Amino acid sequence: MNQPTLTRRALMLALAACAAGAAVPAHAQDDYPARPITLVVGYPAGGSTDLTARLFGDALSKRIGERVIVENVGGAGGAIGAQRVAKARPDGYTLLLGASNEMAIASLINKAVKYDGLKDFTPIGMISTQPMVLVASANSPIKNISDFLAQARAHPGKFSFGTSGVGTALHLSAESVKEAGGLQLVHVPYRGVAPLASDIMGGQLQFGVFVLSSALANIRAGKLVPIGLMQASRAPLAPEIPTFAEAGLKDVNMDIWFGLYGPANVPAPVVAKLRAALDDVLKMPEFRSKMQESGSTVAASGVDLAQFQRKETEKYKRIVEFAKIEE
């Protein structure tokens, strides 16, 4: 006689428990953020991605009133850090300061990369961009873009350029110069910027590609000669350096970009809070000033990161296919 009553009562208690459990995430979303946020960087400390993360993390912390802890998870050109975030719990407490290399290029050249830069992440918003520059040794007779193009065309295959690795944005930017200019240049990959700069300044290598901010000190000291920027417009940090686009290579328009990502399926209310906070950070005068001093251009508010990334990936894919790049 009492069994149906007990069964119904048990069912009602179970449903009530489920409802209570379902209400917890919603409450947590309302209170977000209620504890520190981890901002993962896929590179060691000291590089341009790390610097961007620390400047952004500090500004974001002031905006949301919670600590933002930068965690460096280096390896595989940023892919290991990205993978860590892709597998994290999608609650908004583990985020990625993602760069063009790991978010759009890595999967095009390396079959070992198993994540999808769009499908496995929640794109929150753009943060900034940095220009790349082709440089030569101070002892080189080549001092400008005209000299470079003339000599490279007159002596196909004679000149080499170095970058910090195969398939990086630096490598692809030089390949875009080769394609647009009809040039034959030999790529020499290095393990880091320091040995690359040393070999160029020492005369062991003719040319190299750097993020502008990492080469500027040696350029200003007269140790490296800036040949040209790989983007459409000149950089505010160094307006004296011309662009390859100005020299007629209109298709050379590539920079390194940085965006804020979470794992896939971050709840919409959390994403909305993060986007609002990001927009506010991008407008902070102190943040903008520090980013500009580091050589970055702060992104415009409200950029659709997913749409931007799709276009960039298509551009990279074309260059990868042209250059037959595979890691």
Side-chain angles (χ1 to χ4, degrees):
M1 291 284 295
N2 292 334
Q3 186 64 35
T5 302
L6 289 173
T7 302
R8 285 196 297 271
R9 183 176 298 170
L11 179 60
M12 291 175 67
L13 289 171
L15 290 173
C18 289
V24 172
H27 179 67
Q29 293 165 27
D30 291 341
D31 289 346
Y32 178 85
R35 63 178 190 272
I37 293 171
T38 297
L39 182 60
V40 175
V41 177
Y43 304 88
S48 57
T49 310
D50 176 69
L51 177 59
T52 300
R54 292 182 187 280
L55 292 175
F56 176 75
D58 182 60
L60 180 62
S61 177
K62 293 175 182 176
R63 165 61 176 76
I64 63 177
E66 281 288 350
R67 290 177 62 208
V68 176
I69 303 167
V70 175
E71 180 182 348
N72 297 92
V73 185
I80 293 177
Q83 183 69 41
R84 152 123 159 69
V85 174
K87 292 183 176 180
R89 184 178 178 181
D91 55 8
Y93 288 99
T94 303
L95 304 175
L96 176 72
L97 195 298
S100 43
N101 282 342
E102 66 270 21
M103 299 311 296
I105 299 173
S107 60
L108 297 175
I109 64 168
N110 190 344
K111 294 178 181 178
V113 174
K114 300 302 182 184
Y115 62 81
D116 185 297
L118 280 170
K119 293 179 181 178
D120 295 328
F121 297 88
T122 299
I124 296 164
M126 280 282 290
I127 297 174
S128 63
T129 62
Q130 281 204 13
M132 291 175 280
V133 61
L134 180 74
V135 303
S137 167
N139 298 321
S140 171
I142 297 174
K143 303 296 184 183
N144 52 52
I145 294 178
S146 296
D147 289 347
F148 169 75
L149 293 176
Q151 290 298 314
R153 286 166 175 160
H155 305 284
K158 176 183 177 181
F159 297 108
S160 300
F161 69 93
T163 73
S164 58
V166 173
T168 60
L170 300 169
H171 180 195
L172 267 62
S173 70
E175 294 292 346
S176 74
V177 170
K178 286 172 57 179
E179 181 185 28
L183 310 178
Q184 294 182 34
L185 303 169
V186 179
H187 178 223
V188 182
Y190 280 72
R191 290 184 177 274
V193 171
L196 170 59
S198 178
D199 276 5
I200 296 172
M201 290 187 288
Q204 286 81 35
L205 187 69
Q206 294 104 332
F207 303 101
V209 184
F210 294 83
V211 176
L212 177 60
S213 60
S214 66
L216 199 55
N218 285 321
I219 290 173
R220 297 258 162 90
K223 297 178 180 179
L224 294 174
V225 175
I227 301 300
L229 295 179
M230 273 81 160
Q231 63 179 21
S233 57
R234 297 197 181 200
L237 187 65
E240 72 277 10
I241 303 176
T243 70
F244 278 95
E246 293 174 40
L249 277 62
K250 303 297 184 183
D251 291 336
V252 177
N253 183 18
M254 187 179 296
D255 48 30
I256 291 178
W257 47 265
F258 305 98
L260 183 64
Y261 296 83
N265 302 315
V266 175
V270 173
V271 174
K273 287 186 176 184
L274 284 169
R275 284 180 176 158
L278 171 61
D279 285 347
D280 287 346
V281 167
L282 297 181
K283 297 170 186 174
M284 290 180 178
E286 182 181 5
F287 174 74
R288 296 181 67 86
S289 176
K290 288 181 178 179
M291 290 292 285
Q292 288 165 5
E293 288 172 6
S294 75
S296 296
T297 298
V298 176
S301 177
V303 173
D304 186 329
L305 179 54
Q307 183 179 20
F308 172 84
Q309 188 173 331
R310 288 189 191 95
K311 291 181 179 178
E312 288 290 286
T313 302
E314 286 301 314
K315 178 171 65 177
Y316 298 144
K317 183 179 180 182
R318 181 182 56 76
I319 296 171
V320 167
E321 291 173 349
F322 159 77
K324 298 180 174 61
I325 300 171
E326 186 173 346
E327 192 172 19

